[in-house]
Amino acid sequence: MATTDQEVNELIKREYEHGFVTDIESDTFEPGLNEDVIARLSGIKKEPEWMLEWRLKAYRRWLEMDEPDWAHVGYPKVDYNSISYYSAPKRKEDMPQSLDEVDPELLKTYEKLGIPLHEREKLAGVAVDAVFDSVSVATTFKEPLAKAGVIFCSISEAIQDYPELVQKYLGSVVPHGDNFFAALNSAVFSDGTFVYVPKGVRCPMELSTYFRINAANTGQFERTLIIAEDSSYVSYLEGCTAPMRDENQLHAAVVELVALDDAQIKYSTVQNWYPGDENGKGGIFNFVTKRGACIGKNSKISWTQVETGSAVTWKYPSCVLRGDNSVGEFYSVALTHNHQQADTGTKMIHLGKNTSSTIISKGISAGKSSNAYRGLVKFGPGAEGARNFTQCDSLLIGDRCGAHTFPYIESKNKSAIVEHEATTSKVSDEQMFLCRQRGIDPEQAVSMIVNGFCKEVFKELPMEFAVEAGKLLEVSLEGSVG
Amino acid sequence: MLSIKNLHASVEGKEILKGINLEIKAGEVHAIMGPNGSGKSTLSQVLAGNEAFEVTEGEVTLNGENLLDLETEERAREGIFLAFQYPVEIPGVSNLQFLRTAVNAMRHHKGEAEMNAAEFMKLAKEVSKQVDLDPAFLKRGVNEGFSGGEKKRNEIMQALLLQPKLAILDETDSGLDIDALQVVSNGVNALRAEDRAILMVTHYQRLLNHIVPDHVHVLAGGKIVKSGGRELALELEERGYGWLGIKDEEEAAANSAN
Ligand SMILES: Nc1ncnc2c1ncn2[C@@H]1O[C@H](COP(=O)(O)OP(=O)(O)OP(=O)(O)O)[C@@H](O)[C@H]1O
Ligand SMILES: [Mg+2]
């Protein structure tokens, strides 16, 4: 059917609805990166000596490293000296002590984004840490969480208030020299979220961080550290948006998760950074290192991601399954259109006995975009009885996009079992005709078919966000049908 | 209600429909029979607006309105419904969600309020019973793993939900067991109404024992070569298509191979 492609092309011409800029006074560093800049950053944050030392160590490593080029993406070289490494909304006093003291402009911004920072509002069961450019501007529900013994605060606060915990775990999963972007992040990370769930505690509500890039020419380098002690449970969600700008902006985050004996961490991401315009101008470069360590026996780390934004995505949330019987999961929906490029997947490193992992990846490509799944499943010599199940499905919309699958398997243990399934399908003319014959708009039809394709992943998202994710796909595909 | 005049249509440059003329009035049931490959499904698809087929000549009006100018979904909203010969699967999209989206699209078009999930569930359950389909099918993906007969019953369920003006049923009876044929026939008979017309494509006159048509047409080589009443189907069953001077495709192919 000749129309499908045409329809789909229309559908792809969507508007990015979070593209507004907040007019707020900011303190922003001059562009450029050197040891003085790092010292200044650390100084503003009144960081202890060890933190600055760690940053400088990472910076020196970074200088010796080359930007990776193995991913299935192409983008203009980033000039790291043209970026500003710190931008924060100016504050009347030092730090807002309560939500009432947060700049109303900021509150309005988050409201516009659908993330109310008033504790009684619609996301009543969810605590939010809001990160605006380089700093955390508000954290909700701190008190009820504290009662349960859960620490939920910005990483800057954690460095001040819980230095032993930070020192013990920061860099324990993603070392400062792990890779080019992780090293850069370790040197210049400005804020992020810290979560600590003590032994035996089931975190009483969903925790979430909302990242917003606002200032021009700044990079966002947040650092997230989540520690789940023995037999604890926490579910955490992050969301991200940015204004529409013609220049590319860099986002290089690091997330570290630590799960001890019998602990469970569920980490969900709804990533909707500005993807650039329909000609591929502008958009966020999203170079992220996310890794969880199942240190304890019977522990479990589950990554769920819905990636619809960014011009270029380079991201492999991984699990190191060290504890015996530990479980790693990766559920992913990655949607690309126009000129977006995504190279995403996961690494499951099986070290302990009877460890198991599940990978479900759903890639959707439309327009002229390119979407690659890259996954590594590795079994160490001690991974007796370990198993992995991988399912990679690609859905193509139109015929100018590409889908690629790069599965790697390395096994040093003969008893390990791997199952791999992969499919590629198209939104077929027959499916479109059936929907339209029943009176359904072509646009709605594509969105419905795509949502159906993603169902297995969406059902892993916390309830509140599964609906959001469905809507996000719908918006992302808007205009792809005429 | 539906008026087809000198309709020509082709697919991939090959002419399939070669001048179809047909008048269908409200309240009537028309049966179309004819050899394999004669163009019955093509006619059904062209009426429903499948863009794989190109209309090269002729006109089609629905209640005086030019149907060929309308998009597929607009035709559907004007009341054209097609029960597919080979219903396609949509994995992961629940039947319930699909049907509600369709019903709400129609309601929206008519300026009626959309049905919420609970209201729709109630309605869908009732209708699924009418075609003897376990309500569990509502939760399954659209046609996903349905047996042939289940797919056909699902199509009739959709017709009952959408209440079209013109229901085109393309071989809805094929592949059904005896009980299912009865169920589907009851469903179709439930659709019969003063203000509705039914166009059904079938190979079997036994269906016409259950659903008695007002008119029977024979489509061969892209044209309607014979029209008559109920008795024409009986005659066809007795005598085959040969006496009309047409051979079915297989026979023709066999002959040319000799
Ligand atoms: N998409 C297509 N591409 C090429 N040829 C097609 C296409 N669709 C239909 N045809 C051809 O058009 C002719 C008519 O097909 P159609 O499906 O309308 O027949 P039919 O009368 O419904 O047959 P049956 O009784 O077997 O269902 C056949 O020769 C068929 O091969
Ligand atoms: Mg047919």
Side-chain angles (χ1 to χ4, degrees):
Chain A
M1 184 160 58
T3 29
T4 311
D5 285 354
Q6 201 186 327
E7 284 160 1
V8 163
N9 290 340
E10 286 298 310
L11 211 157
I12 295 157
K13 274 192 238 136
R14 56 104 178 231
E15 290 286 322
Y16 182 76
E17 65 171 339
H18 305 302
F20 62 92
V21 177
T22 305
D23 191 10
I24 194 160
E25 247 189 299
S26 289
D27 282 320
T28 305
F29 280 12
E30 287 295 304
L33 183 57
N34 53 47
E35 296 202 1
D36 289 344
V37 168
I38 295 170
R40 226 173 108 205
L41 174 73
S42 186
I44 286 181
K45 301 196 155 287
K46 303 194 175 75
E47 286 178 354
E49 192 58 28
W50 58 266
M51 194 66 248
L52 176 60
E53 283 308 316
W54 196 77
R55 288 176 179 279
L56 292 173
K57 205 162 59 177
Y59 174 66
R60 289 170 198 144
R61 258 319 283 285
W62 179 74
L63 286 176
E64 295 163 7
M65 297 171 100
D66 291 322
E67 196 164 334
D69 58 2
W70 43 262
H72 197 88
V73 294
Y75 56 91
K77 276 269 165 283
V78 178
D79 176 0
Y80 292 92
N81 273 314
S82 71
I83 298 171
S84 164
Y85 288 83
Y86 184 80
S87 177
K90 256 190 194 146
R91 295 187 176 102
K92 310 240 153 51
E93 293 144 56
D94 239 348
M95 280 273 261
Q97 296 306 305
S98 73
L99 287 175
D100 308 336
E101 290 174 36
V102 175
D103 189 316
E105 271 301 310
L106 279 177
L107 289 180
K108 261 194 251 160
T109 299
Y110 284 91
E111 234 150 70
K112 237 165 130 177
L113 295 167
I115 313 291
L117 297 180
H118 301 293
E119 296 187 353
R120 276 179 304 276
E121 284 186 32
K122 70 171 180 203
L123 288 177
V126 183
V128 181
D129 183 26
V131 176
F132 192 82
D133 289 331
S134 304
V135 292
S136 166
V137 291
T139 309
T140 64
F141 290 105
K142 274 184 150 177
E143 265 178 44
L145 287 169
K147 261 188 206 138
V150 174
I151 302 170
F152 178 49
C153 64
S154 72
I155 193 108
S156 305
E157 283 173 80
I159 291 167
Q160 303 294 332
D161 300 344
Y162 313 99
E164 332 71 48
L165 282 173
V166 175
Q167 232 179 327
K168 181 169 175 194
Y169 289 108
L170 188 75
S172 70
V173 187
V174 180
H176 68 269
D178 186 80
N179 68 67
F180 183 83
F181 298 114
L184 177 63
N185 174 286
S186 301
V188 302
F189 77 86
S190 44
D191 219 331
T193 305
F194 177 80
V195 177
Y196 176 82
V197 192
K199 196 167 168 173
V201 170
R202 191 182 165 88
C203 185
M205 57 179 77
E206 298 279 342
L207 303 183
S208 81
T209 301
Y210 196 84
F211 296 104
R212 172 78 178 165
I213 297 179
N214 188 59
N217 292 321
T218 53
Q220 193 175 42
F221 306 93
E222 82 269 359
R223 187 109 196 168
T224 300
L225 177 58
I226 300 179
I227 301 149
E229 290 276 11
D230 292 356
S231 306
S232 66
Y233 170 88
V234 62
S235 169
Y236 175 90
L237 183 125
E238 59 174 5
C240 343
T241 58
M244 299 199 260
R245 296 190 187 280
D246 286 346
E247 306 80 31
N248 294 111
Q249 283 182 281
L250 180 63
H251 172 253
V254 171
V255 175
E256 295 178 279
L257 312 182
V258 180
L260 298 166
D261 286 356
D262 302 293
Q264 275 191 40
I265 302 176
K266 188 173 169 55
Y267 193 105
S268 314
T269 303
V270 175
Q271 186 265 107
N272 184 27
W273 295 117
Y274 177 52
D277 70 10
E278 53 189 77
N279 300 312
K281 198 170 168 85
I284 303 292
F285 290 162
N286 189 33
F287 302 139
V288 171
T289 305
K290 289 184 166 170
R291 195 175 305 153
C294 284
I295 293 177
K297 62 177 165 50
N298 308 320
S299 56
K300 177 174 171 182
I301 289 180
S302 183
W303 298 100
T304 306
Q305 58 173 22
V306 176
E307 305 274 323
T308 61
S310 297
V312 181
T313 297
W314 180 99
K315 179 181 170 190
Y316 316 90
S318 305
C319 296
V320 181
L321 305 172
R322 197 175 294 280
D324 291 349
N325 308 316
S326 60
V327 177
E329 293 176 337
F330 175 73
Y331 300 99
S332 170
V333 165
L335 179 136
T336 55
H337 48 84
N338 293 341
H339 293 261
Q340 277 180 286
Q341 307 173 64
D343 192 300
T344 183
T346 185
K347 284 189 268 185
M348 292 291 173
I349 315 293
H350 293 254
L351 301 175
K353 283 198 204 81
N354 299 319
T355 47
S356 71
S357 60
T358 303
I359 299 171
I360 308 276
S361 161
K362 304 277 181 177
I364 303 138
S365 334
K368 295 179 184 160
S369 68
S370 156
N371 201 326
Y373 167 81
R374 186 183 304 276
L376 169 68
V377 178
K378 195 169 173 175
F379 299 97
E384 203 64 34
R387 54 171 60 230
N388 162 266
F389 172 76
T390 299
Q391 184 187 327
C392 291
D393 299 324
S394 308
L395 184 69
L396 304 176
I397 304 176
D399 51 16
R400 289 174 305 161
C401 50
H404 314 270
T405 307
F406 306 100
Y408 306 94
I409 296 163
E410 288 172 28
S411 184
K412 296 202 172 84
N413 190 305
K414 287 207 176 96
S415 70
I417 299 171
V418 195
E419 279 177 84
H420 185 98
E421 289 173 11
T423 64
T424 300
S425 52
K426 278 195 76 161
V427 173
S428 76
D429 295 347
E430 288 75 22
Q431 291 171 331
M432 287 299 289
F433 182 58
L434 168 60
C435 293
R436 295 177 60 191
Q437 209 302 303
R438 298 299 186 250
I440 300 169
D441 270 327
E443 211 166 89
Q444 214 180 349
V446 168
S447 148
M448 190 168 68
I449 295 167
V450 169
N451 267 291
F453 174 75
C454 301
K455 197 168 113 185
E456 280 166 284
V457 174
F458 285 173
K459 74 177 198 304
E460 296 298 326
L461 285 173
M463 259 294 266
E464 299 88 328
F465 299 103
V467 178
E468 288 300 309
K471 276 194 213 139
L472 186 59
L473 278 196
E474 198 168 313
V475 172
S476 301
L477 288 164
E478 219 159 75
S480 87
V481 183
Chain B
M1 166 174 291
L2 184 78
S3 164
I4 305 175
K5 293 207 175 82
N6 190 30
L7 181 65
H8 290 251
S10 52
V11 61
E12 287 168 12
K14 182 178 151 201
E15 184 163 73
I16 311 287
L17 300 184
K18 301 171 181 168
I20 303 264
N21 292 290
L22 190 61
E23 294 287 332
I24 300 178
K25 296 201 184 73
E28 291 181 344
V29 174
H30 289 237
I32 294 197
M33 305 183 78
N36 293 131
S38 58
K40 303 180 297 298
S41 292
T42 303
L43 175 62
S44 311
Q45 301 267 333
V46 166
L47 292 176
N50 188 338
E51 285 142 356
F53 300 90
E54 193 194 350
V55 173
T56 50
E57 222 185 308
E59 65 176 58
V60 181
T61 57
L62 180 73
N63 294 327
E65 202 185 341
N66 183 355
L67 198 64
L68 300 178
D69 275 354
L70 301 181
E71 297 287 346
T72 305
E73 60 275 17
E74 292 168 333
R75 295 184 198 192
R77 292 171 201 155
E78 290 304 322
I80 301 262
F81 177 91
L82 171 61
F84 289 83
Q85 183 175 1
Y86 304 110
V88 64
E89 300 188 358
I90 309 180
V93 177
S94 79
N95 223 1
L96 195 67
Q97 187 200 352
F98 172 74
L99 295 173
R100 184 156 78 96
T101 308
V103 165
N104 279 337
M106 303 289 188
R107 292 177 72 95
H108 184 79
H109 177 70
K110 287 187 235 157
E112 294 169 4
E114 297 200 345
M115 287 182 104
N116 66 34
E119 286 170 334
F120 184 75
M121 185 70 181
K122 195 163 162 265
L123 175 68
K125 271 189 176 159
E126 277 166 25
V127 177
S128 69
K129 280 192 200 123
Q130 227 179 316
V131 291
D132 200 24
L133 209 54
D134 190 317
F137 278 88
L138 294 169
K139 299 224 165 114
R140 284 172 55 178
V142 177
N143 294 317
E144 212 180 341
F146 286 24
S147 77
E150 288 161 355
K151 283 183 183 168
K152 296 296 167 90
R153 277 182 278 167
N154 198 31
E155 293 294 287
I156 295 303
M157 178 170 84
Q158 293 175 38
L160 289 165
L161 274 171
L162 295 170
Q163 297 282 310
K165 287 198 190 112
L166 172 68
I168 305 166
L169 314 176
D170 191 357
E171 293 200 27
T172 302
D173 57 327
S174 65
L176 294 181
D177 64 39
I178 299 157
D179 291 344
L181 184 67
Q182 187 66 53
V183 166
V184 164
S185 304
N186 292 346
V188 176
N189 282 325
L191 273 177
R192 290 185 90 146
E194 293 266 297
D195 56 351
R196 177 175 300 130
I198 297 173
L199 178 63
M200 52 187 195
V201 173
T202 181
H203 286 294
Y204 306 107
Q205 91 77 30
R206 66 166 184 191
L207 175 73
L208 309 181
N209 292 335
H210 298 279
I211 309 162
V212 181
D214 302 298
H215 301 273
V216 176
H217 311 275
V218 179
L219 183 61
K223 282 184 180 168
I224 289 178
V225 295
K226 179 107 184 146
S227 295
R230 167 81 187 86
E231 67 291 345
L232 177 57
L234 290 166
E235 198 165 359
L236 285 171
E237 179 157 83
E238 212 163 291
R239 303 174 64 181
Y241 291 115
W243 65 281
L244 287 171
I246 40 173
K247 292 164 184 140
D248 64 35
E249 295 271 289
E250 277 168 46
E251 210 180 303
N255 287 346
S256 65
N258 287 342

